[in-house]
Amino acid sequence: MSNSSKMSAKQRIEALVDANSFVEIGGNVTKRNTDFNMQEQTVPADGVITGYGVIDSELVYVYSQDVTAMNGSIGEMHAGKIARLYDMAMKAGAPVIGLIDCAGVRVQEAVDALAGFGQVYMSKVKASGVIPQISAVLGACGGGSAVSSLLSDFTFMDASNGRLFVNSPNAIDANNIDKCDTSLGEFQAKAGNVDFLCENEAEVLTGIRSLISVLPANFDDYAGMENDDDMNRVISGFDVKNPAASLAEIADNNNFIEVKKNHATDMICGLMTLNGVTVGAVANGADAVFTTAGCKKAEKFVYFCDAFGIPVITFTNVKTYASSKEEEMTIGQAVADLTCAFASAEVAKVNVITGEAFGSAYIAMNSRHIGADLVIALEGAKVGVMDAENAVKIMYDDIKDSSELDEKVKEFDAMQCDANNAAKRGYVDNIVEASELRKQLIYAMQMFGMR
């Protein structure tokens, strides 16, 4: 798709916010620099439109870079407008949305432009955990602009026109753009730098509106929305081989907003509402293993939920850790960091054991032992130190008769792995049918005062 088929900076804002709700701020601001014949350059609004509007009647602050004004490059006044918008949003307690289409730093302004980058970085860091921040990569977003975008809580990207990079593909050793275009959305989404990869600008803007509808306005606000779904609706069950589909079935109106879908698929993270209450969901993937990337993905998501008072529900089906030389260098610290995220989170935490929960991996996955407020197991779930077969191999390595070993496996499984045994010890609060899970989770949210 060529630049000519893209929306203008103003059109993007108008498509994002409710009709006739946008109010521009700083429309007359322009550059001060006169070096390198800049006095002869006209830069309307210094290359960025800033202001506020509403999405579904909720206040949001928006900036949209204008690629027709010096390619949307960031100079001193451009950055100052964004920083001022952040000041206003922090005082009002409302989200900031950045629509990115930018050639990067304005070279003609040199250190003043770099100071502007620092000003934007500082504004975004101060706002972290206070108000939600969303970036949308709709055109070029390179170098320092990429860093700025990734300081946001969520990053959307237009797969057609968006280009996200710190180093351009041709500047990477042993690479060129024909070999691997590292700026493409597919590459960046797989790397975990993009939360939502969309086909076009319209899908990006629709996605932002959907996300805003379930987010709180700020850290002190309630996260939820109006709901007309039946709280007592029965679901078909929980498929541990396709947890994302099961989460969608549990969610109000089957709307599960999955984050970083293309990255670290061993861990599923996303937002949904239950009877109108926004919750964060973290589920183990089909392979029931922990990987470094998956743990980091979940860790960041849990910290976000905790900062904004969003309850966290985990759907646990994990048996072991990924095993390779590369993973061995990083997995221990990654699991430790995830454990810390769950243990330190002060929001309501519910753990649902959907399949097998074994060993220290189970402990790290929001278990009762590190602070889960409520633990539910589905009928047939397993909880234990390890699966029965491996346990028997360790305990009875002297037994060679296969039928005798099979009996020992059955015995260990019944005595140590059945979730009922964990329930008898108080490690599991309730064992429920999978079909009743949606209703049970709504009850849990009501118990914690989330209505």
Side-chain angles (χ1 to χ4, degrees):
M1 190 181 292
S2 66
N3 281 349
S4 62
S5 64
K6 294 162 62 175
M7 297 186 212
S8 70
K10 188 65 175 291
Q11 287 171 334
R12 287 167 173 165
I13 294 176
E14 291 172 344
L16 174 66
V17 301
D18 294 352
N20 302 316
S21 71
F22 182 68
V23 178
E24 186 173 357
I25 300 169
N28 294 324
V29 172
T30 190
K31 60 179 175 56
R32 298 194 303 173
N33 182 47
T34 58
D35 295 339
F36 305 104
N37 298 316
M38 282 289 288
Q39 71 273 15
E40 299 175 8
Q41 292 262 21
T42 299
V43 190
D46 209 54
V48 62
I49 299 172
T50 57
Y52 60 91
V54 296
I55 291 178
D56 291 333
S57 301
E58 295 294 330
L59 176 66
V60 294
Y61 287 78
V62 185
Y63 64 92
S64 181
Q65 292 174 320
D66 184 359
V67 74
T68 67
M70 291 198 71
N71 292 318
S73 58
I74 299 177
E76 173 197 13
M77 303 302 285
H78 180 124
K81 288 178 67 176
I82 295 173
R84 181 163 180 259
L85 193 76
Y86 264 90
D87 290 340
M88 298 177 71
M90 290 275 281
K91 185 166 286 189
V96 174
I97 303 167
L99 307 180
I100 312 301
D101 193 351
C102 170
V105 66
R106 190 174 299 166
V107 178
Q108 295 90 333
E109 296 191 19
V111 292
D112 287 334
L114 288 179
F117 265 103
Q119 191 179 10
V120 173
Y121 290 177
M122 180 61 84
S123 295
K124 300 194 78 160
V125 171
K126 285 182 176 179
S128 180
V130 180
I131 55 174
Q133 303 177 65
I134 298 172
S135 293
V137 179
L138 303 177
C141 180
S145 294
V147 175
S148 177
S149 174
L150 296 175
L151 282 170
S152 296
D153 298 305
F154 300 101
T155 299
F156 286 77
M157 188 168 177
D158 170 11
S160 300
N161 288 310
R163 296 294 183 269
L164 179 63
F165 55 94
V166 174
N167 297 294
S168 66
N170 289 337
I172 297 172
D173 290 345
N175 188 64
N176 61 64
I177 199 166
D178 295 324
K179 181 185 292 185
C180 178
D181 189 347
T182 53
S183 70
L184 289 177
E186 183 179 357
F187 181 92
Q188 293 293 338
K190 187 174 181 179
N193 296 324
V194 173
D195 295 284
F196 303 99
L197 183 62
C198 305
E199 290 187 4
N200 49 52
E201 290 188 7
E203 188 175 308
V204 168
L205 300 176
T206 299
I208 293 173
R209 288 182 62 91
S210 178
L211 180 61
I212 285 289
S213 72
V214 301
L215 292 179
N218 56 69
F219 76 100
D220 202 30
D221 188 34
Y222 166 80
M225 60 189 297
E226 292 295 323
N227 169 61
D228 57 4
D229 200 351
D230 180 6
M231 67 171 288
N232 296 309
R233 174 166 54 82
V234 173
I235 66 172
S236 62
F238 195 96
D239 184 359
V240 294
K241 295 298 183 183
N242 191 358
S246 293
L247 293 176
E249 189 177 3
I250 292 169
D252 290 343
N253 301 308
N254 306 125
N255 182 30
F256 174 59
I257 303 174
E258 187 174 354
V259 176
K260 298 187 190 300
K261 181 178 181 179
N262 304 85
H263 171 66
T265 55
D266 60 285
M267 196 75 80
I268 312 299
C269 299
L271 295 161
M272 60 183 177
T273 62
L274 292 172
N275 202 34
V277 175
T278 297
V279 300
V282 180
N284 298 115
D287 293 333
V289 299
F290 269 164
T291 68
T292 297
C295 288
K296 289 182 176 180
K297 173 181 173 179
E299 177 200 357
K300 181 179 178 181
F301 182 72
V302 170
Y303 279 129
F304 170 81
C305 290
D306 190 44
F308 287 97
I310 298 172
V312 174
I313 304 175
T314 48
F315 298 83
T316 300
N317 176 46
V318 63
K319 297 188 290 186
T320 187
Y321 306 109
S323 177
S324 69
K325 288 181 180 179
E326 293 76 14
E327 282 287 342
E328 193 61 24
M329 290 189 286
T330 55
I331 188 64
Q333 187 62 60
V335 176
D337 292 342
L338 178 60
T339 302
C340 185
F342 279 126
S344 62
E346 297 181 353
V347 292
K349 293 175 288 186
V350 176
N351 186 17
V352 181
I353 300 174
T354 60
E356 297 172 306
F358 289 138
S360 57
Y362 142 66
I363 298 296
M365 190 66 180
N366 188 34
S367 66
R368 161 62 50 78
H369 319 289
I370 62 169
D373 299 297
L374 181 70
V375 179
I376 298 171
L378 301 186
E379 288 187 344
K382 305 289 185 181
V383 183
V385 66
M386 64 180 66
D387 69 85
E389 187 172 340
N390 285 325
V392 166
K393 286 179 180 178
I394 292 171
M395 294 192 301
Y396 301 103
D397 61 340
D398 57 326
I399 297 178
K400 305 303 180 185
D401 183 80
S402 59
S403 60
E404 188 176 354
L405 283 173
D406 288 343
E407 285 301 317
K408 294 294 184 183
V409 168
K410 292 177 183 177
E411 181 183 10
F412 187 90
D413 188 64
M415 292 179 62
Q416 295 293 334
C417 296
D418 193 304
N420 284 285
N421 295 308
K424 291 175 183 178
R425 291 165 170 79
Y427 304 143
V428 170
D429 293 298
N430 202 3
I431 298 176
V432 304
E433 294 181 13
S435 61
E436 300 291 311
L437 187 53
R438 169 177 160 82
K439 178 172 64 177
Q440 292 293 333
L441 291 175
I442 289 173
Y443 290 165
M445 293 301 101
Q446 292 175 340
M447 178 185 71
F448 290 119
M450 307 289 178
R451 301 179 188 277

